[in-house]
């Protein structure tokens, strides 16, 4: 005979783990133990009936007992789970948003007011002004990286992560963001317009992360690599 579970009620196997992983056994009767809501009992009753018909009811029926695999010890911290899994990527992305607009405005301001040409007339070498802007912007972001690293470690949000690795991860994103600010500034000569477009480009570059999260199980490896060419998406994906 054939006895199949309802296809709409079977737990999907497209993912090897949950979208937002939570430590703990999958022992929820409503969400996880779907085969225990009548399917196993019905299958056992049919099997026993078939055996009794074939043996004439003289066979001793063994008892059927089920037990889940043991799960190692874990800590249930709902606050850390929601902050790290849901809000941390968004909060980290928004943290750099306050630096993007001023950084673009500072470099475009020199072009708008013709200050760079004036300094060249005074003997300043070409590129020194851009180097000073890069150091000013990047060092300011590195200071943010130090503060955020101390925050996540002292606040026990990432207590099992190496602080040096966290700092390097944040510093890489800071470098990518600095280069994005410089790229946007090349196309504008008005500070207000450049800052506005820079913020929009920064926010739009975050949108592929939504695709990665919702369609991760259906994306190939090269799809993820292509999407992660966006620095903000890569950062959010890594923070997740």
């Amino acid at each position: 005979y054939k006895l199949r579970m309802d296809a709409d009620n079977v737990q999907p196997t497209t993912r090897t783990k949950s979208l937002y992983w939570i430590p703990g056994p999958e022992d929820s009767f409503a969400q996880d133990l779907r085969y225990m809501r009548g399917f196993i009992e019905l299958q056992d009753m049919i099997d026993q009936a078939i055996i009794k018909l074939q043996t004439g009811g003289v066979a001793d029926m063994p008892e059927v007992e089920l037990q889940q695999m043991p799960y190692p010890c874990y800590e249930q911290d709902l606050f850390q789970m929601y902050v790290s899994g849901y809000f941390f990527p968004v909060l980290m992305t928004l943290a750099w948003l306050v630096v993007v607009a001023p950084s673009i405005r500072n470099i475009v301001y020199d072009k708008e007011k013709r200050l760079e040409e004036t300094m060249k007339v005074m003997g300043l070498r070409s590129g020194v002004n851009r180097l000073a802007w890069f150091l000013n912007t990047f060092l300011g972001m590195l200071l943010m990286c130090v503060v955020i690293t101390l925050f996540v470690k002292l606040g026990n949000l990432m207590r099992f992560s190496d602080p040096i690795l966290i700092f390097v991860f944040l510093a890489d994103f800071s470098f990518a963001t600095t280069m994005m600010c410089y790229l946007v500034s090349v196309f504008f000569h008005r500070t207000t317009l450049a800052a506005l477009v820079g913020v929009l480009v920064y926010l739009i570059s975050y949108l592929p992360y939504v695709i990665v999260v919702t369609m991760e199980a259906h994306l190939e490896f090269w799809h993820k690599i292509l999407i992660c060419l966006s620095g903000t998406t890569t950062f959010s994906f890594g923070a997740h």
Side-chain angles (χ1 to χ4, degrees):
Y1 71 96
K2 293 183 179 179
L3 185 62
R4 297 292 183 266
M5 188 76 169
D6 183 12
D8 296 332
N9 197 30
V10 174
Q11 196 166 7
T13 58
T14 55
R15 297 180 181 272
T16 56
K17 67 175 183 178
S18 302
L19 180 60
Y20 293 99
W21 179 75
I22 303 174
E26 295 185 351
D27 56 354
S28 173
F29 185 79
Q31 298 294 332
D32 305 316
L33 305 179
R34 304 185 182 185
Y35 285 91
M36 302 295 294
R37 296 183 299 200
F39 180 81
I40 296 296
E41 292 81 355
L42 180 60
Q43 184 182 41
D44 183 59
M45 292 170 59
I46 295 177
D47 291 340
Q48 291 187 20
I50 294 176
I51 293 174
K52 289 181 179 180
L53 288 175
Q54 296 295 327
T55 60
V58 297
D60 294 332
M61 302 301 296
E63 295 182 358
V64 178
E65 295 182 0
L66 299 177
Q67 184 176 0
Q68 283 189 287
M69 291 291 293
Y71 194 87
C73 296
Y74 67 97
E75 293 183 6
Q76 188 176 17
D77 191 344
L78 297 179
F79 174 77
Q80 181 178 359
M81 178 196 69
Y82 286 117
V83 171
S84 300
Y86 295 92
F87 300 109
F88 191 74
V90 179
L91 293 178
M92 290 296 98
T93 303
L94 295 179
W96 265 260
L97 186 62
V98 298
V99 186
V100 172
S103 300
I104 297 176
R105 185 182 181 279
N106 290 338
I107 191 172
V108 178
Y109 181 80
D110 293 341
K111 294 193 298 181
E112 183 180 13
K113 299 300 181 181
R114 307 294 181 180
L115 298 178
E116 186 174 358
E117 287 75 9
T118 303
M119 288 185 288
K120 287 182 180 180
V121 173
M122 298 173 61
L124 184 67
R125 293 183 179 180
S126 178
V128 176
N129 186 38
R130 294 185 179 88
L131 179 61
W133 172 85
F134 171 79
L135 293 177
N136 184 34
T137 304
F138 186 62
L139 291 178
M141 292 186 181
L142 286 182
L143 181 61
M144 288 182 54
C145 295
V146 173
V147 174
I148 294 175
T149 302
L150 294 176
F151 174 76
V152 297
K153 289 301 295 182
L154 298 180
N156 289 331
L157 292 178
M158 294 184 176
R159 56 179 176 174
F160 298 113
S161 301
D162 189 353
I164 298 179
L165 182 61
I166 297 176
F167 176 77
V168 172
F169 175 67
L170 298 176
D172 288 340
F173 178 68
S174 298
F175 181 80
T177 304
T178 303
M179 294 297 98
M180 187 209 70
C181 294
Y182 182 76
L183 175 65
V184 174
S185 66
V186 172
F187 300 98
F188 299 94
H189 292 81
R190 299 294 181 184
T191 56
T192 304
L193 181 61
L196 179 60
V197 173
V199 171
L200 291 177
V201 170
Y202 181 83
L203 293 177
I204 291 175
S205 64
Y206 175 79
L207 295 180
Y209 169 69
V210 180
I211 301 177
V212 173
V213 172
T214 55
M215 302 181 61
E216 180 183 1
H218 305 283
L219 295 177
E220 300 291 340
F221 177 75
W222 68 273
H223 292 157
K224 298 179 182 179
I225 295 297
L226 184 62
I227 292 176
C228 286
L229 291 177
S230 172
T232 311
T233 298
T234 307
F235 178 70
S236 302
F237 194 48
H240 172 72

